[in-house]
Amino acid sequence: MTKKAFIFDLDGVIVDTAKYHFLAWQNLANGLDISFSEEQNEQLKGVSRVRSLEKILEWGNKTISEQEFTALMAKKNEEYLNYIETMDTSEVLPDVPRVLDYLLTEDQAVALGSASKNARIILDKVLLRDKFHAIVDGTDVSKAKPDPEVFLIGAQKLGVDPKDCVVFEDSVAGIQAANVANMVSIGIGDPKVLHEADYVFKNFTEIKEEFINQLVTTRKN
């Protein structure tokens, strides 16, 4: 088999931590008298913590001091960490371990490419850290998706050409980042939202071994 790199986002792809982000951001927004909807939360997927707070402030037409901004980011992260502290293997999304195990069995390179600075903590909680040859998270990057930095670093760590990389993402920003990096982009979620992806699946139960084999033998133009 050809050697490829398969790069996975974390939130919404491997585990559903989006619900915890939503609760933490909603509590923060409400504390600032800003309404915050699930639709707005969708726009924060794959976006850095700093940019997420900036967007919430823009939506609420609010201005705060740099000191308060830093304090709110820390408060949001602390609340989020309290939520993920209770995570276990039951929170891994359907068929993710099957796909990861198949890739490893076929001697493919596997990496995590996430904006989350808590990625390693979460992988340890759900007992999946040993499934990845490389981990790139929010501590490794300076540019948020749709900038392709996170995926390009992943490819570099695995020693694989970007054209031989496949990215699994649930966010529009993540799909755009994969496309800019000239990697095969696979959306996990709603086809209407992720229409820029090369392929879209509702979840990993729809991704069969035959499709993975097909990915291994094709290359992004």
Side-chain angles (χ1 to χ4, degrees):
M1 264 189 167
T2 312
K3 186 77 169 187
K4 293 275 186 174
F6 291 81
I7 306 175
F8 293 74
D9 178 40
L10 179 65
D11 298 344
V13 173
I14 292 173
V15 289
D16 182 18
T17 47
K19 60 191 175 189
Y20 300 135
H21 283 296
F22 173 64
L23 289 170
W25 281 129
Q26 188 179 51
N27 288 339
L28 181 150
N30 290 345
L32 293 168
D33 291 322
I34 299 172
S35 62
F36 182 68
S37 66
E38 290 194 40
E39 290 73 23
Q40 287 169 316
N41 190 59
E42 285 292 313
Q43 295 182 49
L44 302 187
K45 284 187 175 180
V47 176
S48 70
R49 202 183 310 158
V50 172
R51 184 62 192 132
S52 293
L53 182 48
E54 286 173 349
K55 287 174 79 75
I56 289 171
L57 292 171
E58 287 166 12
W59 291 329
N61 197 25
K62 297 272 186 181
T63 305
I64 61 175
S65 69
E66 190 175 332
Q67 188 177 2
E68 188 178 359
F69 189 98
T70 302
L72 284 174
M73 278 205 306
K75 183 181 177 184
K76 184 268 174 183
N77 193 50
E78 185 180 351
E79 184 173 347
Y80 174 70
L81 286 173
N82 287 336
Y83 286 128
I84 65 174
E85 186 62 35
T86 62
M87 289 181 73
D88 57 29
T89 54
S90 68
E91 300 216 40
V92 177
L93 291 171
D95 268 15
V96 168
R98 174 183 62 82
V99 172
L100 289 172
D101 286 340
Y102 182 73
L103 291 171
L104 295 174
T105 300
E106 295 298 324
D107 198 30
Q108 297 301 315
V110 181
L112 187 86
S114 169
S116 173
K117 291 184 178 180
N118 303 306
R120 287 174 171 82
I121 296 170
I122 293 169
L123 288 179
D124 285 338
K125 286 283 181 187
V126 299
L127 305 181
L128 287 180
R129 189 163 175 173
D130 64 343
K131 304 291 185 186
F132 297 89
H133 299 112
I135 295 173
V136 186
D137 65 13
T139 63
D140 302 303
V141 297
S142 58
K143 299 168 187 168
K145 302 168 189 173
D147 189 284
E149 182 186 29
V150 64
F151 298 140
L152 292 173
I153 293 174
Q156 185 180 30
K157 282 191 173 189
L158 295 173
V160 177
D161 189 298
K163 288 184 179 179
D164 285 317
C165 293
V166 178
V167 172
F168 296 92
E169 261 285 355
D170 73 318
S171 71
V172 173
I175 294 298
Q176 290 171 344
N179 290 341
V180 170
N182 210 20
M183 300 176 177
V184 173
S185 55
I186 300 181
I188 303 296
D190 187 344
K192 292 176 186 172
V193 176
L194 304 174
H195 58 86
E196 293 176 59
D198 294 316
Y199 307 92
V200 183
F201 297 93
K202 181 178 68 177
N203 55 44
F204 282 93
T205 64
E206 297 183 347
I207 299 178
K208 306 304 178 188
E209 283 73 7
E210 293 78 13
F211 174 70
I212 295 172
N213 295 341
Q214 176 191 328
L215 290 173
V216 170
T217 57
T218 57
R219 203 171 199 243
K220 188 91 169 185
N221 294 323

